């Protein structure tokens, strides 16, 4: 156990040296690190929200808002299905409660109604056994001609889970374009999303970007209808963003949606020099847009964002290039934010803020100072105990503890893991438990020496016989840390990450690195007795 080949010694020392180099930038400011030569590692630890301040936002999916919008879409789908040949006469089509209801005039057509509406139930995935999944809507065709499609409870729960997953992706894309370092976006429960953005200096801008649904649609304007008068089916009245708002009667079915956008950038209008948002459509969107503008020259169309008309320009000529501009009295920042929203995509449902906290950098600085003090006290206390108990071998264990801490920070820096206050607690606990392996080894060496073995033989047997116990103890601890990481969230995960990394580095430093140092000492001193 005390024999090391040259390549093993070089490998172990290389790991330690590389670990020190990777962790070194964390001891200096970002400005200092940037001035270093290009070949020197410059990556630093990512500090969590509790250490560098930032924004903490907890959002909840607005189920009722989503349900009402989805039901209005369902009304249009049902109307279209009833108009297919042969047409089916109906009356009273509209949203009622959590569903859509209408009455069929000819009862003999009820089987055909069921056939046409069954695809609109919208199956959501498959079951665990591979069979058909739940339907988003329940279909009830009454013998009296009353037809109702309503949300199923299981279907709504499944849709909310899908909405949360999709929203997390969209929010991540939006925040990434702000340049925020390592945002944390997690599911909380079944319908909530936790957003933490460390180091963000403008929480209000984050709220504006994250909370805005950003559902962009293009609609033709019905110039023959009055907002105050009677409207034909399939139209809707929406207000503009002007002050005071101007009402527009629009065709409810959108010509294009935000999904047809390929790109959006904040630019300046060449004629007025005002900030605008230039957009480019996908090939499919450009073709549809071209066909619509060809057929509707001199007719206005509205650009709608979250049920508000941003602008309603008149189509002067066919727009065949698949690109255009959105104007609306933007500032430079608002134009840039709108471009970010459009590029990142729209949220599938409205999100409302349940909890909001802004953490200042001063609190983070206090937390870092407290964490440093606790780490220093814990390290000094452990080192003093080891020296008083095991003498020279205690000093070797202390060197291994210091290398262990360095390797923890090096691995976290390399992985881009976020260091939080619970993470510092994980490091401190690792300092306290890292010497356990040394204690096991040294106590075993003491027992072997008392049993009559020579000093070198006792040291060799101590390392050899303690290995199994060390591995068992650390593997079980690692399993617990992994379970905490998998099942936990927020602070619990921060603790689990550092503790799991600490367990892995402890096995290396307490057994491999310590054994190398002891082997070098034995080769140099050739001890005949052991004082423990």
């Amino acid at each position: 156990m005390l024999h090391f080949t040259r390549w093993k010694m070089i490998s172990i020392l290389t790991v330690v040296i590389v670990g020190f180099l990777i962790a070194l930038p964390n001891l200096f400011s970002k400005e200092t690190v940037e001035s270093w030569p290009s070949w020197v590692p410059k990556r630093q630890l990512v500090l969590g929200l509790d250490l560098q301040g930032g924004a903490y936002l907890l959002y909840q999916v607005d189920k009722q808002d989503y349900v009402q919008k989805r039901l209005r879409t369902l009304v249009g789908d049902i109307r279209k299905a009833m108009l297919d040949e042969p047409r089916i006469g109906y009356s009273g089509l509209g949203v009622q409660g959590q569903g859509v209801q209408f009455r069929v005039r000819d009862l003999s057509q009820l089987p055909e109604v069921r056939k046409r509406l069954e695809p609109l139930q919208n199956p959501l995935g498959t079951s665990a056994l591979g069979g058909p999944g739940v339907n988003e809507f329940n279909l009830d065709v009454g013998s009296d001609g009353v037809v109702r499609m309503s949300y199923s409870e299981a279907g709504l729960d499944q849709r909310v889970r899908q909405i949360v997953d999709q929203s997390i992706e969209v929010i991540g894309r939006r925040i990434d374009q702000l340049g925020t370092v390592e945002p944390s976006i997690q599911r909380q429960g079944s319908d909530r999303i936790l957003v933490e953005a460390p180091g963000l200096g403008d929480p209000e801008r984050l709220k504006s970007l994250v909370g805005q649904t950003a559902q962009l649609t293009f609609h033709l304007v019905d110039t023959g209808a009055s907002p105050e008068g009677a409207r034909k089916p399939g139209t809707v009245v929406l207000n503009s963003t002007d002050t005071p708002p101007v009402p527009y009667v629009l065709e409810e079915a959108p010509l294009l949606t935000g999904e047809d956008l390929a790109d959006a950038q904040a630019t300046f209008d060449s004629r007025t020099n005002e900030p605008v948002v230039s957009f480019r459509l996908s090939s499919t969107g450009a073709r549809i847009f071209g066909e619509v503008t060809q057929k509707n020259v001199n007719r206005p169309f509205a650009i709608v964002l979250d049920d508000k008309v941003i602008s309603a320009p008149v189509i002067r000529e066919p727009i065949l290039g698949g690109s255009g501009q959105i104007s609306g009295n933007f500032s430079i920042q608002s134009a840039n934010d709108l471009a970010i929203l459009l590029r990142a995509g729209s949220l599938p449902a409205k999100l409302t803020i349940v909890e909001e906290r802004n953490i200042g950098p001063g609190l983070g600085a206090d937390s870092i100072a407290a964490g440093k003090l606790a780490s220093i006290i814990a390290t000094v206390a452990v080192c003093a105990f080891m020296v008083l108990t095991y003498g020279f071998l205690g000093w070797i264990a202390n060197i291994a503890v210091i290398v262990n801490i360095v390797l923890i920070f090096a691995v976290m820096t390399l992985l881009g893991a976020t260091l939080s206050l619970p993470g510092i607690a994980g490091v401190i606990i690792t300092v306290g438990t890292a010497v356990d392996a040394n204690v096991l080894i040294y106590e075993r060496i003491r027992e072997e020496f008392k049993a009559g073995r020579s000093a070198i033989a006792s040291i060799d047997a101590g390392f050899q016989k303690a290995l199994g116990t060390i591995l068992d103890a650390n593997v079980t601890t690692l399993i617990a840390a992994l379970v905490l990481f998998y099942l936990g969230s927020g602070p619990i995960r921060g603790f689990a990450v550092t503790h799991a990394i600490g367990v892995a580095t402890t096995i290396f430093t307490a057994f491999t690195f310590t054994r190398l140092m002891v082997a070098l000492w034995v080769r140099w001193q050739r001890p005949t007795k052991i004082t423990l």
Side-chain angles (χ1 to χ4, degrees), residues 25 37 42 50 72 124 150-151 199 240 258 266 299 308 362 368 411 451 507:
K42 298 181 180 180
D50 49 1
R72 288 197 294 269
L124 301 173
S150 57
Y151 252 110
S240 70
R299 183 177 176 183
K308 294 289 185 181
I368 293 175
V411 172
I507 294 175

Side-chain angles (χ1 to χ4, degrees), residues 51 362-377 421 424:
L51 295 183
L363 178 61
D366 293 341
S367 299
I368 293 175
K372 285 181 179 178
L373 180 61
S375 301
I376 291 171
I377 293 174
L421 197 57
I424 293 178

Side-chain angles (χ1 to χ4, degrees), residues 439-518:
V439 170
L440 289 172
I441 295 169
Y442 294 166
E443 290 298 326
R444 191 68 187 183
I445 292 173
R446 179 183 289 171
E447 291 175 3
E448 295 293 332
F449 188 69
K450 288 182 177 179
R453 287 184 177 238
S454 66
I456 296 177
S458 298
I459 293 172
D460 186 78
F463 278 100
Q464 187 173 1
K465 295 182 179 180
L467 176 60
T469 305
I470 293 171
L471 289 177
D472 289 345
N474 283 280
V475 167
T476 53
T477 304
L478 181 61
I479 291 173
L482 293 176
V483 171
L484 281 176
F485 178 81
Y486 182 74
L487 297 179
S489 62
I492 296 177
R493 277 196 165 192
F495 172 83
V497 168
T498 53
H499 198 42
I501 294 174
V503 169
T505 56
T506 295
I507 294 175
F508 172 79
T509 56
F511 187 77
T512 305
F513 183 67
T514 300
R515 185 161 53 93
L516 174 61
M517 288 192 293
V518 172

Side-chain angles (χ1 to χ4, degrees), residues 81-84 86-90 104 106 109 112-113 116:
M82 296 298 102
L83 291 177
D84 290 344
R87 293 192 176 190
I88 297 176
Y90 64 90
V104 178
D106 186 354
Q109 293 182 306
E112 179 65 20
V113 170
R116 294 187 187 185

Side-chain angles (χ1 to χ4, degrees), residues 411-446:
V411 172
M412 292 186 68
T413 303
L414 200 61
L415 296 178
T418 301
L419 178 64
S420 59
L421 197 57
I424 293 178
V427 174
I428 295 172
I429 289 179
T430 300
V431 170
T433 58
V435 295
D436 285 353
N438 297 101
V439 170
L440 289 172
I441 295 169
Y442 294 166
E443 290 298 326
R444 191 68 187 183
I445 292 173
R446 179 183 289 171

Side-chain angles (χ1 to χ4, degrees), residues 92-249:
L93 176 61
V95 176
Q96 294 190 14
Q98 294 283 95
V100 175
Q101 185 172 303
F102 65 97
R103 181 182 294 273
V104 178
R105 295 194 180 101
D106 186 354
L107 299 183
S108 65
Q109 293 182 306
L110 290 180
E112 179 65 20
V113 170
R114 179 180 292 277
K115 180 180 178 182
R116 294 187 187 185
L117 296 185
E118 280 179 347
L120 299 182
Q121 289 183 272
N122 191 24
L124 301 173
T126 57
S127 68
L129 300 177
V134 299
N135 289 327
E136 184 175 9
F137 296 102
N138 292 324
L139 173 61
D140 180 23
V141 181
S143 58
D144 57 352
V146 175
V147 180
R148 181 174 176 81
M149 292 190 71
S150 57
Y151 252 110
S152 67
E153 185 175 345
L156 182 57
D157 290 342
Q158 177 74 0
R159 282 298 295 144
V160 169
R161 285 193 293 270
Q162 294 175 354
I163 288 169
V164 170
D165 291 338
Q166 186 179 344
S167 297
I168 289 174
E169 295 180 7
V170 173
I171 292 172
R173 291 196 296 267
R174 292 180 180 180
I175 297 180
D176 286 343
Q177 296 187 51
L178 280 178
T180 303
V181 179
E182 293 296 326
S184 173
I185 308 167
Q186 309 174 47
R187 176 195 295 272
Q188 289 277 318
S190 61
D191 61 348
R192 293 186 176 187
I193 300 172
L194 174 62
V195 179
E196 294 180 331
L200 185 66
D202 189 358
E204 291 301 320
R205 189 181 180 198
L206 176 67
K207 286 165 55 180
S208 175
L209 282 176
V210 173
Q212 193 167 341
T213 310
Q215 291 182 338
L216 182 74
T217 52
F218 295 77
H219 301 256
L220 285 173
V221 178
D222 188 350
T223 54
S226 170
E228 294 80 15
R231 293 180 287 107
K232 63 182 180 182
T235 60
V236 63
V237 176
L238 295 179
N239 291 323
S240 70
T241 55
D242 301 320
T243 305
V246 178
Y248 289 88
V249 180

